[in-house]
Amino acid sequence: MSKESQVEVLGVRFDNLTMREAVDAALALIAEHRCTYAATPNPEIVMLSRKDASLSSALKEASLVIADGVGIVYGAKILGTPLKARLPGIDFAGCLMQELAKTNGRVFLFGAKPGIAELAAQTLTATHPGLSVCGTHNGYFSDDAEIIAEINAAKPDLLLVCLGAPKQELWMQANAGKLNAGLMIGLGGSLDVFAGTVRRAPESWCKLGLEWLYRLIKEPRRIGRMRKLPVFLIAVIRCRLLERRRLRGNSDAR
Ligand code: UDP
């Protein structure tokens, strides 16, 4: 993506795209078949990347960075550089698979606990007729080489890497050069949702930007992780105030 169509939030560059534009960009990357990768950072991942140089590097090398989560959209707005849309990673992948299904595109599902990717495959092939799930592998493994061989034999157009952050981003960066695939997307817990073992928030909650609250109610153990959301917003406000002070300082100096 060109620099003009990017928005930076606390050191992470997001591509400023509508859903249609993001899907078209992903289809173009698939057509190139260079095994590039897309990341879908939320505020938690952005905060993690500020402390974890390897995650920050993996995000910088991504060919597509999608603004997953309402917090990123608020953050960009506070910084004075609003994004066109919020693009939940799972919806982005859903729209992309819908397009791939039209040409019998091939998807490999990698991640989650044993049995989950297979369940997700059943749902996805039922909801996207024409889509070919060409392989699955759970996300609890010790040997990268075995998985890489399986993926390369399957030659997917799209590889969903659902290992949670930062594992999935680091895995994609480390292995991109060894894989025969079109595009990879790091998608966190999406296979659990496709499989139906984890429920997504109802649409009305999503529209209000309250998906995080629904997840918290359903999985209270996430409270520790969710504390990063207010910390993220405070860091964004601080960044904005520092920028304003810097600009005021510049104009006073003139
Ligand atoms: N996971 C995995 N391998 C690991 C650790 C996690 O496959 O070594 C999977 C886990 O089973 C879950 C997903 O990665 O399906 C992470 O889900 P989480 O809800 O934490 O991600 P989020 O959607 O919040 O990014």
Side-chain angles (χ1 to χ4, degrees), residues 150-171:
E150 268 185 48
I151 294 167
N152 286 348
K155 299 186 189 68
D157 298 304
L158 179 63
L159 170 58
L160 301 187
V161 184
C162 303
L163 307 173
K167 195 171 177 181
Q168 62 201 12
E169 288 78 14
L170 300 182
W171 193 91

Side-chain angles (χ1 to χ4, degrees), residues 42 111-113 139-140 162-164 167 187-189 192 215 222 225:
N42 57 19
K113 295 199 176 115
Y140 297 84
C162 303
L163 307 173
K167 195 171 177 181
L187 266 190
D192 300 293
R215 276 190 104 173
R222 296 181 81 95
R225 289 173 62 175

Side-chain angles (χ1 to χ4, degrees), residues 91 118 126 133 181:
D91 292 339
E118 290 75 11
V133 177

Side-chain angles (χ1 to χ4, degrees), residues 237-253:
I237 292 168
R238 199 165 164 265
C239 179
R240 176 67 167 163
L241 292 176
L242 286 173
E243 178 65 8
R244 273 206 194 146
R245 199 175 298 164
R246 192 182 64 77
L247 290 175
R248 209 175 302 142
N250 281 354
S251 67
D252 288 350

